[in-house]
Amino acid sequence: MNTIEQRKQELQNCRPEPTLDMETVNSYWDSILEEYGNRPLEWVSVPEVTPYPGMQVSRISFKGFDETTVHAWYIQPSFPASGGELRPCIVTFPGYTRDRGYPEQYASWVLLGYAVLAVDVRGQLGETGNRLSHESGGSRGWITQGLLDKERSYYMAVAIDTVRAIDTAAELPGVDPSRIAVTGASQGGGLALLAGALNPRVAAVAADIPNLCRLDFGVLNSSSSLTEIADYVKRYPEHLERVLHNLAYFDIVNLAPRITAPVLMSVGWKDAVCMPETVYAAYNRIESPKQMLDYPFSGHEVSAYHERQKVLFLQRQLGSAGL
């Protein structure tokens, strides 16, 4: 066995014990989701001018957690689907500190005949604000906001925003609500997995180098966003157990058995942000059809090769786009 094969075997055997039992996880999230499932989305669509004749673009907004208005692009091919067929929709989320960008960056999906809902994450670089109140202090960035009260935490707000983004996509004109996939990288990959765990409308998940996996390990070892939490508990060590307990409700290691859609994940073995020990810990607990693509010589990045593999995966899962 060579070193690469040995490392692969180690990762396949990375199975830390979950920090919450499934009865607790399901009881908690089923109650939260029932509460928000009865609230209107109040989505609004406004046409957007684009210089690209191959796509039709609208600005979409909907009500997320705490009545924050979440902004997104809705992008459709400008050509009609054959036979009036409804299109699959790809819902995307950006990496931490980033935004949904320009509509044309989703042109590859449009060329396949898919619709796209590209969603901002609240408070970060995009147009979406954050009405979540600050009841206590926090570290730099966003993720320590409300960390001591999970029902009013930033992670809760983003989780509900994510669930409601999928519900919004299902109501958009031209979208087949039975063929909604979700994708993203890093923060976006974590949110893709979260969507698969919390919203049964999700038909496929493509999660690249995802965060939100094995959060306790990440807080201790990650070199990126989770250092915000590490800094917080460094200042307030008396809150460590409470922080880790609250994070557990958003950890894909604990939520993974709730995912029923097919999943494609990627991992860079040299990634110091979303480390393979975190990604595999979540992947190994997913019970739905799944595939992991390993990149032993990659860090926190998604290659052009992998983007092609993701397209092929979603074509298999979503079927014809009505071209």
Side-chain angles (χ1 to χ4, degrees), residues 34-177:
E34 182 180 5
E35 176 188 352
Y36 276 90
N38 296 323
R39 300 187 184 187
L41 295 165
E42 299 182 38
W43 66 267
V44 175
S45 176
V46 178
E48 175 76 6
V49 175
T50 173
Y52 297 93
M55 60 177 63
Q56 178 182 327
V57 181
S58 299
R59 289 179 176 270
I60 297 292
S61 63
F62 62 90
K63 294 296 184 182
F65 182 83
D66 70 359
E67 298 299 305
T68 290
T69 299
V70 180
H71 295 275
W73 295 123
Y74 179 43
I75 311 157
Q76 306 172 77
S78 58
F79 49 88
S82 62
E85 182 179 341
L86 296 175
R87 301 184 188 276
C89 183
I90 311 295
V91 181
T92 73
F93 296 95
Y96 191 58
T97 76
R98 299 184 181 179
D99 71 315
R100 69 189 191 273
Y102 287 98
E104 52 265 30
Q105 73 188 57
Y106 306 98
S108 59
W109 297 118
V110 176
L111 285 171
L112 293 168
Y114 295 153
V116 176
L117 184 67
V119 187
D120 277 339
V121 176
R122 65 168 56 216
Q124 297 182 26
L125 188 59
E127 296 179 303
T128 300
N130 182 18
R131 298 185 65 183
L132 193 64
S133 60
H134 290 257
E135 302 296 336
S136 62
S139 180
R140 68 193 187 285
W142 296 275
I143 62 176
T144 58
Q145 185 177 359
L147 196 55
L148 300 182
D149 178 3
K150 63 180 178 294
E151 280 76 31
R152 296 294 304 166
S153 68
Y154 185 79
Y155 275 132
M156 176 60 76
V158 171
I160 297 302
D161 292 347
T162 299
V163 169
R164 291 172 69 80
I166 304 301
D167 290 340
T168 298
E171 294 188 6
L172 293 175
V175 169
D176 182 346

Side-chain angles (χ1 to χ4, degrees), residues 17 19 213-221 244 247 251:
E17 286 294 318
T19 52
C213 299
R214 200 178 178 186
L215 284 168
D216 51 349
F217 187 96
V219 170
L220 186 62
N221 295 286
L244 293 179
L247 289 176
D251 193 330

Side-chain angles (χ1 to χ4, degrees), residues 250-322:
F250 306 96
D251 193 330
I252 304 302
V253 168
N254 295 325
L255 290 165
R258 290 178 59 97
I259 298 173
T260 58
V263 175
L264 175 69
M265 291 172 65
S266 69
V267 61
W269 288 7
K270 295 180 179 292
D271 192 341
V273 176
C274 298
M275 296 152 289
E277 292 86 355
T278 67
V279 176
Y280 260 96
Y283 176 81
N284 289 336
R285 295 203 72 228
I286 294 172
E287 299 171 357
S288 62
K290 61 185 179 180
Q291 180 183 9
M292 177 72 83
L293 293 181
D294 295 278
Y295 298 97
F297 306 102
S298 294
H300 196 61
E301 59 194 290
V302 180
S303 68
Y305 172 87
H306 181 74
E307 292 290 356
R308 173 71 64 87
Q309 303 312 303
K310 184 162 61 176
V311 165
L312 296 174
F313 166 76
L314 289 177
Q315 283 183 312
R316 291 192 299 271
Q317 303 307 322
L318 301 179
S320 168

